[in-house]
């Protein structure tokens, strides 16, 4: 099944990754190696990054930016990759226990232009807790924590 963009576009969307799925991070090789056509730097406007227990959460917040990578899956790997990333993020559509919600957002490519991409954002309850007492990651870049 091809995931649909909420705007009605039925083509597979790329993914915007901002944490452990980025190149050099532990989940990149486990989930993405050999399954992508392209990986390029990008930015998600209107979000801030918070530290989680070994991984980050992106939380919507106007005026802020999260840095990450736009990942385009190989067509033959798309459905498998979408399901694998949903499992990794423990995302089940409509489940109130989700830690993340997969949502389509516009992402700015470093090379220019904007692309609609899947992003795993902190679920509402998680986002509220993070806003109340979470630790922000300076500059919105998970890789800067090193």
């Amino acid at each position: 099944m091809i995931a649909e963009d909420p705007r009605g576009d039925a083509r597979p969307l790329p993914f915007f990754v901002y944490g452990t799925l980025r190149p050099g991070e532990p989940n990149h090789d486990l989930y993405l190696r050999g399954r992508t056509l392209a990986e390029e730097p990008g930015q998600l406007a209107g979000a801030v990054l918070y530290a989680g227990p070994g991984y980050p959460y992106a939380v919507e917040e106007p005026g802020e930016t999260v840095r990450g990578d736009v990942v385009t899956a190989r067509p033959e790997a798309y459905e498998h990759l979408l399901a694998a990333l949903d499992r990794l993020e423990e995302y089940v559509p409509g489940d109130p226990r989700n830690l993340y919600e997969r949502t389509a957002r516009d992402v700015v490519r470093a090379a220019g232009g904007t692309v609609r991409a899947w992003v795993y954002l902190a679920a509402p309850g998680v986002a509220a807790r993070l806003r109340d007492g979470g630790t922000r990651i300076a500059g919105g870049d998970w890789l800067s924590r090193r």
Side-chain angles (χ1 to χ4, degrees):
M1 150 177 158
I2 292 179
E4 286 196 26
D5 180 326
R7 293 187 293 195
D9 191 351
R11 73 178 189 272
L13 297 178
F15 299 89
F16 178 72
V17 299
Y18 55 83
T20 66
L21 289 163
R22 291 183 73 185
E25 292 298 299
N27 285 325
H28 180 272
D29 285 353
L30 291 171
Y31 290 87
L32 299 177
R33 183 174 297 278
R35 294 185 176 130
T36 66
L37 288 175
E39 298 177 27
E40 58 185 308
Q43 295 184 17
L44 174 66
V48 65
L49 211 55
Y50 284 92
Y55 48 86
Y57 288 99
V59 174
E60 291 183 301
E61 185 164 321
E64 299 291 333
T65 302
V66 170
R67 300 182 191 292
D69 295 281
V70 178
V71 176
T72 302
R74 293 184 176 281
E76 68 276 10
Y78 182 78
E79 288 182 39
H80 176 77
L81 184 56
L82 180 66
L85 295 181
D86 280 353
R87 280 191 305 277
L88 173 67
E89 306 299 358
E90 299 179 27
Y91 168 71
V92 177
D95 190 332
R97 298 169 297 174
N98 286 339
L99 297 178
Y100 292 95
E101 293 293 333
R102 177 170 39 88
T103 185
R105 292 287 185 268
D106 289 331
V107 176
V108 178
R109 296 175 190 232
T114 301
V115 64
R116 195 76 167 168
W118 288 125
V119 180
Y120 292 89
L121 297 172
V126 174
R129 288 190 297 278
L130 290 167
R131 285 184 188 109
D132 285 343
T135 302
R136 280 190 181 203
I137 295 173
D141 189 348
W142 174 249
L143 301 181
S144 71
R145 77 196 190 295
R146 296 180 181 160

